[in-house]
Amino acid sequence: MALASYVLRNMGPVLPQAAVVLVCFGSGLALDHFEQLGPDIVVLTVVLGMSLGRTQRHRGIGPRLQTLATLPLISVACTEIGRLFVEHPNVADTLFTVGLTLSIWLRRFGPIGQRLGTLMALPFIALLVVPVPVLPTNITAGMPSEGRSMLWSAVAAVIAFGWVWLFQELGQRVGLIEAIPATAGTTGRTARAAPPRTSGARIQASTRMATQMGLSLGLAFLIGRWAYAPHWTWIVLTVFVVNSGNRGRGDVAYKCLQRVFGACVGTVVATVLAGTFAPRDAVAVAAILLVLVVGGWLRTISYAYWAGCVTSVLSLLQGYFGETHIGLLGERLEQILIGGVLAVAVSWFVLPVKSASVLRRRLADALFALGAFTEAFRATPRDPTQLRTRHAVFLGALEELENVAPTFYGLRRLSALPMVGMTQRGRRARERVETAVAAIEAVRACAPPLRALAGAEQADAGGEHLRTVKGHAAAVRGALRAPESALA
């Protein structure tokens, strides 16, 4: 019974996403059929639908409208870079690297910069999985092919965003997606005045991560163009996937293992399967949809499953458009391995960001959100709207904390190995990791009592829940201050 409940709970959000992919695929095929735009328009629509489905969760009407106004412009710019990949590859490589580097550097400018940076990255992914030149060379309907492709790439972006918005709203209404206030997607440090940072002369994390991404992509393009032309895209795609969402060098190394392992397995399976389908076989479409549904569900267990499924989808997509040569399998695996090692090496040795520092910031944001919530709960008279808002801010901080938690759980499993834990240095490392995991679990344990307090209507209600939250918050503060802790 518990297993069935787990399956149903985690399958709910996957169904709207599967529907988005299906209708985006159909929309892209319709655009290709009526306007003869080529298969790249189908891939662009599908990739945007997949990516927007995850980045647009819990967005309010304002951020969604900003996305609607910005995404078509970014898609047009990426289409132009796609044309340059064919005509001026060196220029295109440079612009691609600069664009993704800029998308990370923009995070320093708060929520608007974060949203803009996320949107900038989405169309770039499509450029790496399109198996044909982005633009035709003929002139049609009195308009240059460049202008037509730019126009229809903007249309594809609007279509994908519209489907995502529609199915997410429907999913919330029927209960498949939990309805969380839009402010929950904003962390404590961006939703309101956060405690001041110690800036000094230190390089900000966004600058460090942007530098790492730029250097990794630049090296990936050099290696790919030199050693793997014309099938150079897999090494660049691997570097981007491993480095994206960088939350410290430990996070990059841990997720690299998951992503590379999953991508290798997914590539092997999909390349073999793609060879069994004829180009533009409708069965391949059903296989793509099934893989996405399964991958979205298994993502709750391990990111390795999601990496494998996404890589399988990309291979199946390329097979759908005719690139099914089994001889590419070894080359793809080699590029994935080299790209993973390259991304980890750069993140580890070039302006590294310590995972413990990232975790300390996430814990501080969660503590600040807890303090703001308890202050609103004790206020007289109590404002229910303010209480819900600050509860949503805590949920956002908790979501950010959950993003870095798998790294420390993985380190705990690693430190438990006999060959590591038996040494004196290994024992000290294990103690520090256990302290970090205990702090994460203390913040996580605050969620149920805070949910009860947010729904409490009487002024004297929730005393026991409030004491529970205070106890967990004290444990987190102790971990942050303990001299033997890596978080101190």
Side-chain angles (χ1 to χ4, degrees):
M1 188 68 178
L3 179 60
S5 176
Y6 175 81
V7 171
L8 292 175
R9 182 174 65 253
N10 289 283
M11 279 295 292
V14 176
L15 297 178
Q17 178 69 353
V20 167
V21 172
L22 181 61
V23 296
C24 284
F25 196 92
S27 301
L29 287 177
L31 290 176
D32 180 25
H33 175 73
F34 289 109
E35 295 294 330
Q36 302 299 313
L37 299 169
D40 54 288
I41 198 69
V42 183
V43 178
L44 175 64
T45 311
V46 171
V47 172
L48 287 177
M50 290 173 55
S51 305
L52 288 168
R54 293 200 58 81
T55 61
Q56 295 299 308
R57 295 178 305 161
H58 318 316
R59 297 294 189 188
I61 185 68
R64 286 188 186 273
L65 291 178
Q66 292 174 9
T67 300
L68 184 60
T70 308
L71 185 60
L73 300 178
I74 298 174
S75 299
V76 167
C78 286
T79 302
E80 176 63 16
I81 295 177
R83 181 181 65 84
L84 293 174
F85 271 133
V86 179
E87 300 179 2
H88 304 285
N90 293 333
V91 175
D93 295 350
T94 302
L95 291 176
F96 187 97
T97 302
V98 171
L100 283 179
T101 302
L102 181 62
S103 71
I104 297 176
W105 184 76
L106 287 173
R107 296 176 185 176
R108 64 194 295 130
F109 297 109
I112 296 179
Q114 291 175 6
R115 287 196 295 270
L116 181 59
T118 300
L119 290 176
M120 286 181 63
L122 300 184
F124 282 95
I125 304 173
L127 294 180
L128 297 178
V129 299
V130 174
V132 294
V134 173
L135 296 175
T137 57
N138 61 320
I139 305 297
T140 308
M143 179 185 293
S145 59
E146 292 86 349
R148 291 183 66 248
S149 295
M150 289 182 180
L151 171 64
W152 287 108
S153 65
V155 172
V158 173
I159 290 175
F161 178 78
W163 286 126
V164 169
W165 193 346
L166 173 63
F167 280 99
Q168 285 187 349
E169 290 293 331
L170 290 176
Q172 289 188 9
R173 290 182 181 275
V174 301
L176 294 175
I177 302 176
E178 183 179 1
I180 300 178
T183 50
T186 309
T187 64
R189 65 182 179 275
T190 56
R192 75 277 183 263
R197 295 175 184 258
T198 56
S199 57
R202 294 175 61 87
I203 302 175
Q204 292 193 18
S206 59
T207 302
R208 293 170 181 263
M209 295 175 183
T211 303
Q212 292 170 4
M213 177 65 83
L215 180 59
S216 299
L217 287 175
L219 293 174
F221 273 115
L222 288 176
I223 296 173
R225 296 286 191 184
W226 171 66
Y228 297 104
H231 305 289
W232 52 267
T233 56
W234 283 86
I235 186 171
V236 178
L237 181 62
T238 301
V239 164
F240 169 74
V241 169
V242 171
N243 255 332
S244 62
N246 183 340
R247 300 179 183 92
R249 61 186 182 183
D251 175 77
V252 173
Y254 177 70
K255 288 185 176 178
C256 175
L257 295 176
Q258 293 182 302
R259 292 173 178 179
V260 169
F261 175 76
C264 288
V265 174
T267 299
V268 172
V269 174
T271 302
V272 174
L273 288 178
T276 64
F277 300 132
R280 296 186 178 271
D281 189 344
V283 179
V285 179
I288 290 172
L289 180 61
L290 178 62
V291 170
L292 282 176
V293 172
V294 174
W297 171 55
L298 292 178
R299 183 179 183 134
T300 61
I301 302 174
S302 173
Y303 198 95
Y305 296 114
W306 176 248
C309 290
V310 168
T311 309
S312 299
V313 167
L314 299 183
S315 297
L316 288 170
L317 269 173
Q318 292 185 342
Y320 181 86
F321 293 116
E323 193 174 283
T324 58
H325 198 299
I326 194 69
L328 295 175
L329 177 58
E331 184 177 302
R332 286 177 177 177
L333 294 177
E334 189 175 328
Q335 290 192 57
I336 289 172
L337 291 174
I338 294 175
V341 172
L342 176 62
V344 172
V346 171
S347 69
W348 203 267
F349 297 108
V350 179
L351 299 178
V353 178
K354 295 182 178 180
S355 297
S357 300
V358 178
L359 177 60
R360 183 167 59 245
R361 184 68 218 181
R362 298 290 189 268
L363 291 172
D365 289 339
L367 285 177
F368 197 79
L370 285 173
F373 179 90
T374 55
E375 178 184 349
F377 186 81
R378 289 176 165 180
T380 305
R382 187 183 307 168
D383 185 355
T385 302
Q386 183 74 359
L387 205 62
R388 287 193 297 270
T389 299
R390 299 202 175 181
H391 179 235
V393 170
F394 169 77
L395 292 178
L398 178 61
E399 183 178 358
E400 292 291 329
L401 181 62
E402 294 287 3
N403 289 333
V404 303
T407 300
F408 292 90
Y409 283 97
L411 290 174
R412 184 170 68 171
R413 288 192 292 270
L414 179 63
S415 63
L417 296 176
M419 64 182 68
V420 178
M422 292 179 62
T423 65
Q424 182 177 2
R425 184 176 181 181
R427 286 194 295 269
R428 288 199 301 267
R430 183 173 183 177
E431 291 175 359
R432 292 194 295 268
V433 171
E434 289 291 346
T435 303
V437 170
I440 294 171
E441 293 180 345
V443 174
R444 186 182 293 159
C446 291
L450 237 66
R451 186 180 302 111
L453 290 173
E457 297 180 357
Q458 298 179 4
D460 57 347
E464 182 179 353
H465 293 309
L466 196 58
R467 287 191 294 272
T468 301
V469 171
K470 287 183 176 180
H472 291 314
V476 177
R477 284 192 290 270
L480 290 171
R481 295 170 182 168
E484 70 278 4
S485 171
L487 303 175

